Every structure is written in C-alpha cells, then in structure tokens.
Amino acid sequence: MTSTEQASKSGAQAAPPDHLGHVIFIAAAAAMGGFLFGYDSSVINGAVEAIRGRYDIGSAALAQVIAVALIGCAIGAATAGRIADRIGRIRCMQISAVLFTISAVGSALPFALYDLAFWRIVGGFAIGMASVIGPAYIAEVAPPAYRGRLGSFQQAAIVIGIAVSQLVNWGLLNAAGGDQRGKLMGLEAWQVMLGVMVIPAVLYGLLSFAIPESPRFLISVGRHERAREILEEVEGDRIDLDARVAEIENAMKSEHKSTFKDLLGGSFFFKPIVWIGIGLSVFQQFVGINVAFYYSSTLWQSVGVDPTDSFLYSFTTSIINIVGTVIAMIFVDRVGRRPLALIGSVGMVIGLALEAWAFSFDLVDGKLPAAQGWTALIAAHVFVLFFALSWGVVVWVFLGEMFPNRIRAAALGVAASAQWIANWAITASFPSLADWNLSATYVIYTVFAALSIPFVLKYVKETKGKALEEMG
C-alpha cells in the first residue's frame, strides 16, 4: 500500500465514539450561522404587510425591500471564501455574528424605508458569509464517515431558524392583538419581530470562541502542531496523525490561495465543475422554495385565510421543513446525495403541480373553493417536505464536498453567490407574478423542479464516502 493510500485510509476512519460528541458540538456551533441564516431570511414574513401599510408602497416596491437583503447575501457569499482563506474560518464567523447583531438593531429601529433596506443589506451580507463558512468549516473538521450527517447540520439549523422565526412572529402577533402594527414594548410588533434576532446573533458570536479553527486552514498557514491537536480532537487518536497531516499538506502543496481566476476555464468561462455547483444552487432556488418562507402568510391571506391562521400555517410548514430535514440527515450518508435529490425533485413536481391547479380556480367570497383550498394547503406542505428531505440538505452537502481542494473556497463562494442571486430573482418577482397569475407562477416553479431531474442524472456525481482530497 502506498503512503498516499495509507493517508487516505487514515482520513477515512470514523471518529471513535468518545470523540463524536465533541465533533457534534463543533458542527452544531458552526451551524448556528445557519440558524441565523434561516431566522433572518424568514422573519421578514411577519413584517411584509406591516411594511406595506406603514410606508404605503405597492407590490413591486415591497418586493424590492424584501429582496434587497439577497443582494447583500450575494456579496457576502462571493467574498467570504477569500476572507476565510486570509484570516481563518473562526474570525469570519465572528464578523458575521457582529453584522447579524447590527442588522437586527437597525432593522428594528428604522427611520425610513431606505434605512430599513440598508440594514437588511447588512444582514444579508452576514447571511451570505454564514452560507459559505458553515458548510466549508464543517466539511473541513468532520471525519469523512460522518461528514454528510454533520454537513446536514447547516440545513437543519436553517430550517430550525425558519421555524423559530415563525413561532416568534406568531407569538408576538397574538401579543399585539393580531395586528402586525400593534404596540409592543413601545414599538410596532413587526419591529420587535426583527429585533429579537439580537439574541441568537450574540449566542453565535460567543459559540465561535468555543470551537477550534479548521485544521486545513492551520496547515495552510504553517501551524502544523495545532492542526494535529485539532485532528486528534475530531478524528480521534486511533488514526495516524502524521499520515493525516501529510495527506492534507500534500494536497495543498500544489495549491495556492483560491481566487476567482482559478475557476476560469473550459468552454463557457467557468470550469465545468463550477457550473455544476452553480446549477445546483440555481435549481434549489428556482423551484420557489423561499416564496413559502418570505410570503407564506401574505399568500394564505390572499386566498382568504385569517391573518392569525396564516401565521399558524406558516409555522406548520416550518415544522414539516424540519421533519424533512431530519429524514435527509438520516439517509444522506446511507442512500447517497444523488438518490435523495432525485426523489425530492419528483415529489416537488407533484406538490407544485397540485398548487398550480388549486390556484387556477377563482375565489368565491374572497376564498378558494373548499376542495381547492385544502388541496393548496396540503400540496404546499408536500412540496416543502420533499424539498427539505432532498435539495434543502444535499445541495449544501454537495457544495461543501464536490470541489477540488485548490478551488474549494472560491468555487463555493461563487456557487453560493449564484444561489443568492437566484433567490433574489424569485423573491423580487413573486409579488408581481402573483398579481398577474398565481397559478401560472406555480407552473413556472413546477417546470424548474422537473428540469432538475435530468440535470442531476447527467451532470452531478455522487460524493458519499469520499475524502475531500479525492475530489477532482
């Protein structure tokens, strides 16, 4: 057996049980950025109609205020990789935590509409950073045998953040008498909803001081002894630490700091592997998943559901999101990433198609007919379930694993940036598209869900069980 094979074998060992609990804590702490990502992304759902009323704006302007955070997300995602390569993954998390905190305070106390938009951009930049650093860091510290499940912590944290934001919004709405602009603690209810994010933002910052730096980053800056200590922490002392360090170091010897230039090549500007990452990100968003979290209460109100009930339906959707994510966490390392993606695509097509059919009927006394109303509600939950057990998790796992070491940080940044741009396109267009034809809007999402199937079959390779140094 060659030294390279020995090193690869050493890296593929599962963490012994006595170390696994510590690894889980590290991954969970890093995934707190994902919690904030989900919370900050979804909390605006509770403020949409209040912002419309307070600033007296139409659907198009409202959509831009809601979606403007995604521009910050794209910038944060595009720059996070380079920042992380220069100052480390932990410092990047701490910067993100500070920005989340500032954004929460500013969004809760806006002077005007432009002021609110600015603080949402700041929060978006923090989300973008967290979306890159979380999966990259977890992939770098997790033992290969557990990497899929630990990598799925990021999405689990996102969906828990979404659910908690909806629960908090529902509780605050009830406390304010069912009025988003009702008074709470001297502010309007929607302002309190946005300001509560200070609590998890501060917690994220504190947790970042309790977890170690990535061993791959430490080796890249010459801190080999500290890297050995952390590898022993996360992979156990039963592995050959010298071989493990040598494996990572050898993989890095032919590398330099990943830059945008490294991604160029092939027939269409980027290397093919980068386009595949971009494709995964775009399909994840173009099925319209974030419509369910940014506009769900507004959507249900538009088809005749009582405002308080609409918040409750938003919360139940978030619970289904968590259930689907748990299913994915259980199976992502058992059945693989590609099979889950394909199963999810088929389920999403069915759910979205049923929603499109239900919304094609005219309202009666301001409500959908009973059969169509129940179909729309059930289909929405089916769609979210199949998204959560597949694309919601596997895309983040893929993006943390699929790129070669020499371009991983930069490629992940570009793919995540593409995800935010796609998210912005869907979020900014939905209110106007819904005003035009809600059923046709869901037909568009159905088409993208269907197209994701041949995309996965033709272009996406399985990464289950492979060491990061094997990706090519």
Side-chain angles (χ1 to χ4, degrees):
M1 184 178 290
T2 67
S3 60
T4 301
E5 289 172 330
Q6 290 174 333
S8 180
K9 182 178 179 181
S10 72
Q13 296 296 317
D18 57 332
H19 288 78
L20 188 56
H22 182 56
V23 175
I24 290 172
F25 169 77
I26 291 171
M32 190 67 192
F35 178 92
L36 283 159
F37 167 176
Y39 193 100
D40 194 24
S41 296
S42 185
V43 71
I44 195 67
N45 188 19
V48 172
E49 293 307 309
I51 293 170
R52 187 199 299 270
R54 176 165 175 169
Y55 298 107
D56 191 25
I57 55 177
S59 293
L62 177 67
Q64 294 308 316
V65 174
I66 304 305
V68 72
L70 302 173
I71 302 301
C73 292
I75 297 171
T79 57
R82 179 170 293 185
I83 294 172
D85 281 344
R86 291 192 175 186
I87 66 173
R89 281 56 165 155
I90 299 299
R91 289 287 178 266
C92 209
M93 291 180 194
Q94 291 163 355
I95 292 171
S96 177
V98 170
L99 293 177
F100 274 122
T101 304
I102 293 172
S103 171
V105 174
S107 297
L109 304 170
F111 298 107
L113 188 63
Y114 71 85
D115 182 40
L116 175 61
F118 172 76
W119 295 119
R120 284 191 52 72
I121 292 173
V122 172
F125 191 92
I127 294 173
M129 292 183 72
S131 73
V132 171
I133 297 306
Y137 173 84
I138 293 171
E140 290 180 350
V141 299
Y146 293 92
R147 198 175 57 236
R149 278 163 285 184
L150 293 174
S152 65
F153 276 30
Q154 172 80 357
Q155 182 64 17
I158 292 172
V159 299
I160 292 172
I162 291 171
V164 170
S165 74
Q166 299 307 310
L167 183 59
V168 169
N169 285 355
W170 180 71
L172 292 174
L173 183 68
N174 278 280
D179 183 3
Q180 291 182 22
R181 299 193 62 188
K183 292 296 183 179
L184 284 175
M185 297 182 285
L187 301 172
E188 293 185 3
W190 69 273
Q191 294 175 270
V192 179
M193 292 176 187
L194 300 183
V196 167
M197 192 180 68
V198 166
I199 298 171
V202 171
L203 179 60
Y204 179 41
L206 294 175
L207 285 172
S208 70
F209 289 97
I211 58 178
E213 182 55 85
S214 160
R216 285 176 174 80
F217 170 75
L218 292 171
I219 290 172
S220 74
V221 294
R223 297 178 60 189
H224 292 73
E225 191 55 40
R226 179 57 181 153
R228 281 172 53 88
E229 293 173 3
I230 294 170
L231 284 169
E232 185 173 0
E233 281 184 40
V234 298
E235 298 193 19
D237 55 8
R238 301 180 192 178
I239 67 166
D240 186 337
L241 289 173
D242 290 332
R244 190 73 182 96
V245 170
E247 176 189 9
I248 297 172
E249 190 169 26
N250 288 336
M252 289 181 168
K253 278 184 178 177
S254 59
E255 299 173 16
H256 54 283
K257 298 293 184 183
S258 57
T259 66
F260 184 81
K261 185 177 179 180
D262 296 324
L263 309 182
L264 307 182
S267 305
F268 300 98
F269 192 67
F270 286 128
K271 297 179 186 295
I273 190 66
V274 179
W275 279 117
I276 293 170
I278 291 171
L280 286 167
S281 291
V282 169
F283 274 116
Q284 188 197 53
Q285 296 302 314
F286 274 17
V287 297
I289 186 60
N290 281 309
V291 167
F293 299 118
Y294 296 162
Y295 296 112
S296 58
S297 63
T298 297
L299 175 63
W300 294 123
Q301 289 174 52
S302 74
V303 294
V305 175
D306 176 80
T308 302
D309 288 341
S310 73
F311 274 68
L312 182 60
Y313 290 153
S314 297
F315 176 64
T316 61
T317 302
S318 298
I319 296 300
I320 293 295
N321 198 13
I322 293 174
V323 171
T325 302
V326 171
I327 293 171
M329 293 173 69
I330 292 171
F331 289 104
V332 68
D333 279 327
R334 296 184 183 182
V335 303
R337 288 68 159 143
R338 288 179 83 243
L340 280 183
L342 293 169
I343 292 168
S345 292
V346 172
M348 289 191 295
V349 168
I350 294 170
L352 288 167
L354 287 172
E355 285 193 83
W357 173 79
F359 291 135
S360 69
F361 287 77
D362 294 331
L363 302 183
V364 178
D365 296 328
K367 297 183 178 181
L368 283 174
Q372 285 72 31
W374 279 106
T375 298
L377 185 60
I378 294 170
H381 285 75
V382 168
F383 163 60
V384 170
L385 175 66
F386 276 94
F387 175 87
L389 65 80
S390 60
W391 285 76
V393 168
V394 299
V395 169
W396 290 112
V397 176
F398 268 130
L399 295 182
E401 294 178 339
M402 65 186 288
F403 301 115
N405 273 342
R406 69 184 307 272
I407 66 168
R408 180 169 294 115
L412 181 52
V414 167
S417 183
Q419 187 173 124
W420 292 117
I421 293 171
N423 190 337
W424 171 82
I426 294 297
T427 304
S429 64
F430 177 75
S432 297
L433 285 173
D435 287 347
W436 163 64
N437 190 317
L438 184 57
S439 178
T441 301
Y442 274 85
V443 168
I444 293 170
Y445 301 153
T446 304
V447 169
F448 280 110
L451 289 175
S452 69
I453 297 172
F455 175 79
V456 171
L457 289 172
K458 184 171 182 179
Y459 297 110
V460 180
K461 295 181 180 179
E462 184 60 76
T463 58
K464 182 183 75 168
K466 295 182 179 179
L468 294 183
E469 285 68 36
E470 296 178 55
M471 304 301 173

